[in-house]
Amino acid sequence: RRARMAPSRPMAAPRRVPANCGDRAEALAPWCPPADELEAEWQALERTVEPEEFKNIRAFRDLVQAEGLDEHKACTGDGAAPHSKSASTLMRFLRARQGNADAALKLFTEAMDWRRDFAIDRKLREWRAEWEEGATARVKLLRFYDFTSTVGVDNLGLPINLDRNSQGDVGGIVREIGPEALLLHLVSRIEYQFAQARERMLRTGECICSFIEIQDVGNYGLVGSWLPRALGAVPFYKNYAPIFDKVYPERVRICFIVRAPSAFSLIWRLASPLVPEATKGKIRLKGYACASWAEEMAEVMPQESIPEWLRSDEPAAFKQARPWGGIVPKGGSRTSNANQRPGGGPCLAPRALDAALSECLGSWRGVLTTNAGKSPRGPRGKGVRRAILPA
């Protein structure tokens, strides 16, 4: 009934992207892309991956077409891209399932269903217009307390996303403006990365669609309540991390997690079940000192893309780091930003720390039990709250 690639037949190992990954394309004939961008994408892919993998992706394309996914609304609706015909998109989905065509087809179908049901193309258009205008309460709040940015480009010229969960207040943002605005904000950044990768592909004839991310989790003492904020972020990521991985698989090339304090081990135990195994192999978990990542970062990105506060351990540099983030006060979407420190929100008052932590841990009791398979206890049998707070 349909063209099928045997699930048991392994795909060639995905080609890794070394620092000099442009050498292969440069060794081929000069790049002269056809006018049809979809055909140009297939030609660029053929120049980039090994022949066996390219053959498997072609076979997967036949399978997707035979399933009728070219007519899926997510591929044909207003403003939609022809995802089912995109060589780089199909490559990512096939790699995400280690070359198993049937498993990749299931994942791709689920992703297209989500794009259709959530109306992501329409909502992103509306969100970008709203963001540019900057007039709504939710955009004003998110701009003021934003903890995400693009810090430059890597050695391939692709954008590097930075998330400063170290100083962000995901739980407070969601409480004030709801999860959808934050989701659209994060998805818009991912879509921007892919748009830049496509432009580069059409320009160079090299199909690279994975990116470097930097996750700053340091406890600098500049924005209070590090642990309650970290725990407060987990529900949002628990709900939406599966969407990122289903709709945008194989997008991460390297993820640097930097300045991880000792308390981060608790957060990592909660977050790691949400991270696909393939992605875990791309994570570089680093300590507090910049010496633990400086050399590795310098291999994949130019110095001008590494902010000063990631090249230094001086407290003065931390105070200049942006985006600032900050704790979102209750009613923050309706209150003035006057009397708050420049570049960020107010810290939680010390007397509120114990109450905030109790609230966070109380709301997370069920999540901890689900993920750990046991009651949320700290080291040596002590309760989490007792183990976290100083005596």
Side-chain angles (χ1 to χ4, degrees):
R1 183 173 63 89
R2 63 181 186 180
R4 178 181 293 273
M5 191 169 72
S8 59
R9 180 182 177 183
M11 183 179 72
R15 179 173 173 267
R16 301 301 177 193
V17 184
N20 63 343
C21 64
D23 292 352
R24 178 186 174 100
E26 291 173 2
L28 298 174
W31 172 243
C32 185
D36 186 311
E37 290 192 3
L38 285 173
E39 180 56 32
E41 187 174 348
W42 280 100
Q43 290 187 17
L45 180 68
E46 188 173 19
R47 293 162 61 92
T48 306
V49 303
E50 300 297 334
E52 184 178 355
E53 184 178 11
F54 181 76
K55 181 177 68 174
N56 287 336
I57 297 169
R58 275 291 191 187
F60 183 50
R61 160 64 190 143
D62 293 340
L63 179 58
V64 167
Q65 183 178 23
E67 284 294 310
L69 289 170
D70 287 355
E71 307 306 319
H72 197 289
K73 190 173 181 180
C75 301
T76 60
D78 182 28
H83 304 286
S84 64
K85 301 176 182 179
S86 166
S88 60
T89 298
L90 297 177
M91 174 188 69
R92 290 189 296 105
F93 278 87
L94 196 56
R95 284 183 173 182
R97 291 298 178 262
Q98 295 76 48
N100 185 318
D102 283 340
L105 179 67
K106 181 176 183 294
L107 180 66
F108 183 79
T109 303
E110 290 174 353
M112 295 303 104
D113 288 347
W114 182 86
R115 295 188 73 97
R116 176 199 62 205
D117 297 342
F118 189 70
I120 184 63
D121 295 304
R122 173 182 60 80
K123 288 183 177 181
L124 275 179
R125 285 197 306 273
E126 294 171 353
W127 171 253
R128 286 165 180 154
E130 182 181 346
W131 182 266
E132 287 299 316
E133 185 178 0
T136 63
R138 64 178 188 171
V139 166
K140 289 180 178 179
L141 182 139
L142 191 49
R143 282 185 170 184
F144 190 80
Y145 293 103
D146 200 0
F147 58 94
T148 69
S149 70
T150 300
V151 294
V153 297
D154 61 20
N155 287 344
L156 301 176
L158 296 175
I160 302 168
N161 278 348
L162 166 68
D163 288 350
R164 298 197 72 210
N165 286 290
S166 56
Q167 299 199 168
D169 183 9
V170 171
I173 291 172
V174 170
R175 181 193 67 239
E176 295 300 315
I177 63 175
E180 185 170 296
L182 182 56
L183 174 64
L184 290 171
H185 186 51
L186 298 178
V187 166
S188 181
R189 295 171 66 230
I190 294 173
E191 293 270 354
Y192 172 76
Q193 285 183 310
F194 281 118
Q196 293 299 299
R198 184 172 184 81
E199 287 185 13
R200 178 187 180 276
M201 173 201 66
L202 294 173
R203 186 176 67 252
T204 66
E206 186 179 32
C207 185
I208 304 297
C209 52
S210 57
F211 311 95
I212 296 174
E213 295 184 355
I214 301 174
Q215 299 285 336
D216 171 29
V217 297
N219 186 358
Y220 302 99
L222 299 173
V223 174
S225 304
W226 184 92
L227 188 59
R229 286 187 292 105
L231 292 172
V234 178
F236 173 82
Y237 288 119
K238 181 175 183 289
N239 287 333
Y240 292 104
I243 292 176
F244 296 141
D245 294 319
K246 175 170 65 178
V247 182
Y248 304 101
E250 289 291 307
R251 73 184 185 277
V252 177
R253 192 187 330 148
I254 300 174
C255 177
F256 291 98
I257 301 179
V258 300
R259 302 202 193 276
S262 57
F264 183 73
S265 59
L266 170 64
I267 306 303
W268 183 245
R269 285 199 298 272
L270 293 173
S272 59
L274 310 178
V275 181
E277 289 301 319
T279 302
K280 289 179 182 178
K282 303 170 186 177
I283 290 176
R284 309 290 186 264
L285 184 58
K286 304 298 181 180
Y288 194 85
C290 65
S292 64
W293 65 76
E295 184 176 347
E296 198 168 350
M297 272 193 186
E299 291 178 355
V300 295
M301 64 184 76
Q303 282 295 310
E304 55 266 28
S305 291
I306 306 176
E308 173 62 27
W309 58 273
L310 287 178
R311 290 185 274 122
S312 169
D313 296 326
E314 292 297 322
F318 301 157
K319 293 179 181 179
Q320 303 303 316
R322 294 295 183 270
W324 185 266
I327 294 177
V328 182
K330 290 186 177 180
S333 61
R334 300 181 298 277
T335 58
S336 169
N337 290 330
N339 302 321
Q340 294 179 352
R341 76 178 64 162
C347 289
L348 190 65
R351 66 177 180 272
L353 174 59
D354 190 48
L357 182 55
S358 298
E359 181 181 351
C360 285
L361 292 177
S363 65
W364 258 96
R365 185 170 300 276
V367 176
L368 286 163
T369 304
T370 300
N371 284 328
K374 55 185 178 182
S375 62
R377 307 291 289 179
R380 297 194 181 104
K382 297 179 181 179
V384 171
R385 183 170 176 271
R386 171 118 178 238
I388 292 167
L389 290 176

